[in-house]
């Protein structure tokens, strides 16, 4: 329960909600709901339901979303290390669920850290098309990178840039854009009481200015015929209906698309704007006293026109002959898929000593000068006379895609997560995909019945 909501906030909400205010304020007496969303890149919901031991109940409007008991700790479970699910607040899941992402879309998540909406978008893309995930704050962009890797996403480029600079590289490029805008965080007061200390009326207005700028830059990157979904975790009209009203007034080729009023959803409030544009009713609000989640606002917009078709200009790799030989040797010894199958998803590109499978669509863009943390799937690194696969590759693979694997279960997996050597009964020698109940977890290297641990040191758990 929050006892110290900002007084100005309470007065503002009382003025806005009128008779509904008492019910709204009472919601702060209850604990927030805990939930996670399955990563369908790792496997189906049906398979997960047969394997998990959590106490769960489904989130009605998110097919792959589940509430879990406060007595469960899914963040400490090996499935979390394997990227089987992403712990995410239920209202936040709603944003991507309402954006009709299809495989082969070109998607931008403009304010992407820590990665909840990016990883959901990637699941919808099914590792096809391209996903550019951007975060302006450098420290947060590293968290984003870790989550993209953990979820085994192959087709994401991660950038650490200002939205204005990014717009110069991707004019009218994306068919779908997610703008989960930095906001005053009123909707998170119950989940994170520290947000109360950072709130002020002046900060609401500053956030609104920044949101207007971000939306304008997103507009420049949206293809004709493309869709943009805007969201905040705040209640302030200045950051929600008023921001959208100002945006569509400036860009009349953007129209509001009606969102479904599912159970627990509420219409947008045009009466809280100067124009009182009735189309704003087609946006939605999620209220903590109505919905089993935190506060959120969501608007879906579409740009007039026909989507642009982006075709790659070249599929030429920059590997030299020796590097290609070393990679081919690893590939044939370790994987059950062909290089031709691999190259259906992108182009082999080397940066320094690191090899990436980069999405074809990004080959049309001159990326020089862009601050890129990751361009596609990090396959591994060239060492002295050999190729060493990356942890990212391990998490992107499934059991049937490798020649050798070793399956652990919840009773013996901790030894691996601690970084210890494993005993293996199999007689094979070479790179071994380590699994937890069938889900890829990392690499080991087997020889004579022992498997050397290659789980990254920075990810290992404590005893």
């Amino acid at each position: 329960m929050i006892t110290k909501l900002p007084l100005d906030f309470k007065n503002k909400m009382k003025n806005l909600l009128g008779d509904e205010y008492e019910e709204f304020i009472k919601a702060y007496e209850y604990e927030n709901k805990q939930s996670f969303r399955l990563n369908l890149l790792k496997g189906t919901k049906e398979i997960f339901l047969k394997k998990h031991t959590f106490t769960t109940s489904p989130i009605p409007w998110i097919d792959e979303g589940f509430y879990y008991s406060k007595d469960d700790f899914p963040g400490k479970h090996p499935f979390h290390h394997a990227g089987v699910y992403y712990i995410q607040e239920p209202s936040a899941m709603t944003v991507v669920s309402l954006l009709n992402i299809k495989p082969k879309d070109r998607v931008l998540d403009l304010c992407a850290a820590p990665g909840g909406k990016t990883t959901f978008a990637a699941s919808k893309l099914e590792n096809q098309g391209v996903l550019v995930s951007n975060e302006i704050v450098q420290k947060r962009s590293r968290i984003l990178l870790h989550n993209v890797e953990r979820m085994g996403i192959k087709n994401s480029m991660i950038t650490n840039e200002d939205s204005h600079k990014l717009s110069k590289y991707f004019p009218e490029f994306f068919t779908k854009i997610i703008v989960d805008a930095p906001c005053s965080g009123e909707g998170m007061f119950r989940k994170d009481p520290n947000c109360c200390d950072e709130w002020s009326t002046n900060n609401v207005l500053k956030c609104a200015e920044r949101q207007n700028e971000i939306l304008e830059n997103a507009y420049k990157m949206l293809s004709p015929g493309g869709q943009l979904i805007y969201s905040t975790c705040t209640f302030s009209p200045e950051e929600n209906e008023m921001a959208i009203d100002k945006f569509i007034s400036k860009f009349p080729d953007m129209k509001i698309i009606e969102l479904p009023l599912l159970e627990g959803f509420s219409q947008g409030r045009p009466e809280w704007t100067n124009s009182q544009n009735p189309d704003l009713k087609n946006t939605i609000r999620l209220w903590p006293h109505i919905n089993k989640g935190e506060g959120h606002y969501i608007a879906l917009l579409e740009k007039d026109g026909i989507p642009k078709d982006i075709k790659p200009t070249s599929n030429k790799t920059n590997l030299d002959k020796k590097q290609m030989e070393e990679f081919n040797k690893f590939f044939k010894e370790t994987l059950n898929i062909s290089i031709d199958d691999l190259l259906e998803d992108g182009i082999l590109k080397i940066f320094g000593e690191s090899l990436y499978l980069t999405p074809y669509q990004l080959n049309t863009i001159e990326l020089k000068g862009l601050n890129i943390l990751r361009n596609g799937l990090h396959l591994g690194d060239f060492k002295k006379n050999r190729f060493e696969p990356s942890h990212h590759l391990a998490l992107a693979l499934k059991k049937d895609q490798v020649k050798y694997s070793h399956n652990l279960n919840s009773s013996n997996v901790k030894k691996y997560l601690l970084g210890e050597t494993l005993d293996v009964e199999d007689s094979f020698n070479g790179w071994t995909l380590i699994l937890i109940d069938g889900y890829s977890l990392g690499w080991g290297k087997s020889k004579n019945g022992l498997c050397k641990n290659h789980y990254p040191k920075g990810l290992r758990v404590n005893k």
Side-chain angles (χ1 to χ4, degrees), residues 161-339:
E161 285 293 359
D162 171 82
S163 62
H164 176 68
K165 182 177 178 180
L166 203 68
S167 70
K168 295 180 180 297
Y169 285 82
F170 294 98
E172 296 191 335
F173 180 83
F174 297 101
T175 56
K176 304 283 170 62
I177 295 181
I178 303 161
V179 178
D180 183 40
C183 68
S184 58
E186 296 167 354
M188 292 292 108
F189 284 174
R190 184 170 62 173
K191 181 183 176 184
D192 182 8
N194 291 328
C195 292
C196 296
D197 298 330
E198 300 171 7
W199 187 90
S200 70
T201 301
N202 189 48
N203 189 43
V204 168
L205 299 177
K206 285 183 178 179
C207 287
E209 289 180 12
R210 181 168 51 185
Q211 290 149 3
N212 290 333
E213 179 185 351
I214 291 171
L215 276 169
E216 290 190 19
N217 290 327
Y219 171 84
K220 297 172 187 175
M221 293 183 274
L222 185 65
S223 168
Q227 291 189 334
L228 182 156
I229 199 157
Y230 174 82
S231 66
T232 71
C233 55
T234 193
F235 304 115
S236 289
E238 296 91 338
E239 302 175 70
N240 296 327
E241 289 92 348
M242 291 169 70
I244 294 301
D245 192 37
K246 183 174 182 179
F247 179 61
I248 60 176
S249 295
K250 185 166 186 176
F251 300 101
D253 57 339
M254 296 293 294
K255 61 182 178 182
I256 296 172
I257 303 298
E258 184 177 3
L259 289 171
L261 280 178
L262 304 177
E263 180 183 353
F265 290 19
S266 302
Q267 290 180 319
R269 307 291 287 266
E271 65 271 24
W272 292 345
T273 68
N274 291 328
S275 73
Q276 300 193 19
N277 183 345
D279 289 345
L280 291 167
K281 280 189 175 181
N282 294 328
T283 65
I284 63 170
R285 282 180 170 267
L286 303 178
W287 297 95
H289 62 292
I290 299 173
N291 184 280
K292 290 183 179 179
E294 303 310 304
H296 241 72
Y297 174 81
I298 306 171
L300 179 63
L301 304 108
E302 185 172 283
K303 187 185 255 189
D304 290 343
I306 300 172
K308 288 186 174 183
D309 185 22
I310 305 293
K311 294 183 178 180
T313 55
S314 168
N315 60 357
K316 187 177 180 181
T317 181
N318 65 346
L319 273 70
D320 61 32
K321 183 178 178 181
K322 183 174 183 293
Q323 290 167 335
M324 186 58 80
E325 287 174 352
E326 291 173 0
F327 181 63
N328 277 330
K329 183 175 185 293
F330 159 80
F331 208 93
K332 291 176 181 178
E333 290 176 350
T334 310
L335 303 182
N336 279 333
I337 57 176
S338 70
I339 284 193

Side-chain angles (χ1 to χ4, degrees), residues 5-256:
L5 287 169
L7 180 59
D8 286 346
F9 167 73
K10 293 189 340 184
N11 289 336
K12 178 178 180 177
M13 295 310 299
K14 190 171 186 177
N15 182 55
L16 289 171
L17 293 173
D19 294 342
E20 198 177 344
Y21 174 75
E22 292 302 326
E23 189 178 358
F24 166 77
I25 212 70
K26 192 174 181 180
Y28 288 95
E29 297 177 9
Y30 305 108
E31 291 183 347
N32 63 299
K33 286 283 186 177
Q34 307 287 336
S35 58
F36 61 70
R37 172 185 46 77
L38 298 185
N39 174 18
L40 298 185
L41 298 178
K42 283 284 184 173
T44 66
K45 180 171 74 170
E46 291 70 27
I47 290 174
F48 173 78
L49 291 175
K50 291 177 182 178
K51 294 180 177 182
H52 84 90
T53 58
F54 306 119
T55 303
T56 62
S57 59
I59 298 173
W61 67 96
I62 306 288
D63 188 53
E64 54 270 76
F66 294 88
Y67 297 109
Y68 63 85
S69 166
K70 64 179 181 179
D71 297 322
D72 289 321
F73 298 94
K76 295 182 179 180
H77 195 280
F79 282 177
H80 185 264
H81 293 266
V84 177
Y85 47 72
Y86 189 99
I87 296 172
Q88 188 176 23
E89 195 277 317
S91 295
M93 294 181 197
T94 308
V95 179
V96 173
S97 75
L98 296 174
L99 182 61
N100 188 28
I101 295 174
K102 299 291 187 184
K104 299 186 178 180
D105 262 328
R106 303 184 300 273
V107 181
L108 169 64
D109 187 359
L110 190 51
C111 314
K117 294 174 178 66
T118 271
T119 55
F120 198 177
S123 184
K124 297 287 187 184
L125 283 170
E126 299 176 8
N127 275 324
Q128 301 175 57
V130 64
L131 171 63
V132 175
S133 304
N134 180 71
E135 173 56 45
I136 189 173
V137 181
Q138 187 176 35
K139 185 177 180 180
R140 285 168 55 82
S141 69
R142 304 303 302 184
I143 299 170
L144 171 66
L145 172 60
H146 167 68
N147 282 321
V148 165
E149 183 175 275
R150 180 171 64 88
M151 307 300 269
I153 298 167
K154 298 178 182 178
N155 60 333
S156 175
M157 182 170 80
I158 300 170
T159 56
N160 171 216
E161 285 293 359
D162 171 82
S163 62
H164 176 68
K165 182 177 178 180
L166 203 68
S167 70
K168 295 180 180 297
Y169 285 82
F170 294 98
E172 296 191 335
F173 180 83
F174 297 101
T175 56
K176 304 283 170 62
I177 295 181
I178 303 161
V179 178
D180 183 40
C183 68
S184 58
E186 296 167 354
M188 292 292 108
F189 284 174
R190 184 170 62 173
K191 181 183 176 184
D192 182 8
N194 291 328
C195 292
C196 296
D197 298 330
E198 300 171 7
W199 187 90
S200 70
T201 301
N202 189 48
N203 189 43
V204 168
L205 299 177
K206 285 183 178 179
C207 287
E209 289 180 12
R210 181 168 51 185
Q211 290 149 3
N212 290 333
E213 179 185 351
I214 291 171
L215 276 169
E216 290 190 19
N217 290 327
Y219 171 84
K220 297 172 187 175
M221 293 183 274
L222 185 65
S223 168
Q227 291 189 334
L228 182 156
I229 199 157
Y230 174 82
S231 66
T232 71
C233 55
T234 193
F235 304 115
S236 289
E238 296 91 338
E239 302 175 70
N240 296 327
E241 289 92 348
M242 291 169 70
I244 294 301
D245 192 37
K246 183 174 182 179
F247 179 61
I248 60 176
S249 295
K250 185 166 186 176
F251 300 101
D253 57 339
M254 296 293 294
K255 61 182 178 182
I256 296 172

